[in-house]
């Protein structure tokens, strides 16, 4: 009986070590560089103040729920940075009848008439927010690089 227990124990150990070995390594250095969830919250709070007072883009945000936007941006930045979050926005992987799954950011921004100049203004504001919270440029560049490909979905004008 003892032998049997030992054998089962060894088997379990082997299976769990194999499972651990196969767990993909999640690269979260950008998340940590942003200061984790707390740091991201501070950055997004500053970013929201900047975009809603920036004369180049502030008019785009009137009539929208900025608390909601703040929460969604925190999730999105955290996810992009390799942190333990998931963007739960209302258009995430939305399936549109007759169209199939649509890219979330495209749907969110499609009626907002956003130009390249507006997109660049928002990116500048994000960089200012990151600088204000002493995020090293090696880290902020990584976050901005993740957002850059969205330009073709977001700019419609
Ligand atoms: C890299 C650039 C951008 C990113 C990552 C981004 C991200 C987001 C996210 C995550 C949301 C929340 C959607 C939800 O509720 O689930 C959102 C909404 C919104 N964004 Fe952007 N955005 C970008 C560029 C812009 C620009 C350039 C403008 C205008 C100047 C803009 C205006 C808005 C507005 C008005 C909403 C609210 C839409 C709604 O609640 O229906 N965004 N954006």
């Amino acid at each position: 009986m003892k032998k049997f227990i030992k054998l089962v124990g060894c088997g379990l150990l082997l299976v769990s070590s194999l499972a651990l070995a196969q767990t993909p390594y999640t690269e979260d250095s950008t998340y940590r560089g942003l200061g984790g969830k707390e740091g991201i919250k501070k950055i997004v709070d500053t970013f929201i103040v900047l975009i809603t007072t920036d004369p180049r883009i502030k008019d785009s945000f009137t009539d929208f729920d900025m608390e909601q936007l703040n929460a969604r941006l925190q999730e999105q930045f955290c996810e992009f940075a390799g942190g333990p979050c998931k963007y739960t926005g209302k258009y995430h992987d939305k399936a549109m009848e007759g169209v199939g799954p649509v890219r979330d950011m495209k749907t969110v921004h499609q009626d907002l008439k956003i130009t390249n100049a507006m997109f660049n203004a928002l990116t500048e504001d994000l960089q200012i927010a990151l600088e204000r919270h002493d995020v090293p440029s090696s880290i902020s560049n990584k976050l901005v690089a993740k957002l850059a490909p969205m330009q073709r979905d977001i700019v419609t004008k």
Side-chain angles (χ1 to χ4, degrees):
M1 184 63 182
K2 263 192 183 163
K3 218 175 177 183
F4 177 71
I5 294 176
K6 250 190 188 169
L7 228 113
V8 170
C10 283
L12 282 176
L13 200 74
L14 189 76
V15 169
S16 52
S17 335
L18 278 175
L20 261 181
Q22 283 183 353
T23 307
Y25 171 68
T26 39
E27 217 295 90
D28 68 347
S29 57
T30 309
Y31 173 68
R32 285 183 279 114
L34 294 173
K37 270 191 200 170
E38 252 176 61
I40 291 174
K41 187 188 178 318
K42 287 183 192 155
I43 292 160
V44 172
D45 284 347
T46 302
F47 179 50
I48 294 280
V49 172
L50 291 172
I51 59 178
T52 50
T53 51
D54 183 336
R56 299 171 294 179
I57 51 175
K58 67 180 167 65
D59 291 346
S60 300
F61 298 96
T62 44
D63 304 331
F64 288 106
D65 180 348
M66 297 313 285
E67 249 177 61
Q68 175 81 353
L69 179 58
N70 184 319
R72 298 287 90 84
L73 283 173
Q74 285 185 51
E75 289 171 357
Q76 194 187 47
F77 289 177
C78 173
E79 183 176 351
F80 281 167
C85 318
K86 270 264 165 271
Y87 168 60
T88 63
K90 51 190 167 179
Y91 296 114
H92 193 49
D93 288 350
K94 186 184 176 201
M96 273 173 85
E97 217 174 309
V99 183
V102 286
R103 295 286 304 281
D104 47 340
M105 285 299 105
K106 192 169 187 154
T107 316
V108 171
H109 297 92
Q110 68 189 0
D111 297 325
L112 297 173
K113 300 194 169 67
I114 296 172
T115 62
N116 276 319
M118 288 159 83
F119 186 94
N120 293 338
L122 178 129
T123 309
E124 258 176 53
D125 290 340
L126 176 60
Q127 270 157 337
I128 294 169
L130 290 159
E131 267 169 36
R132 286 209 189 149
H133 292 282
D134 301 319
V135 174
S137 53
S138 58
I139 299 287
S140 40
N141 288 345
K142 280 197 182 138
L143 180 67
V144 172
K146 285 266 186 182
L147 303 176
M150 291 182 178
Q151 185 153 5
R152 56 177 177 264
D153 278 346
I154 290 176
V155 172
T156 49
K157 202 181 159 198

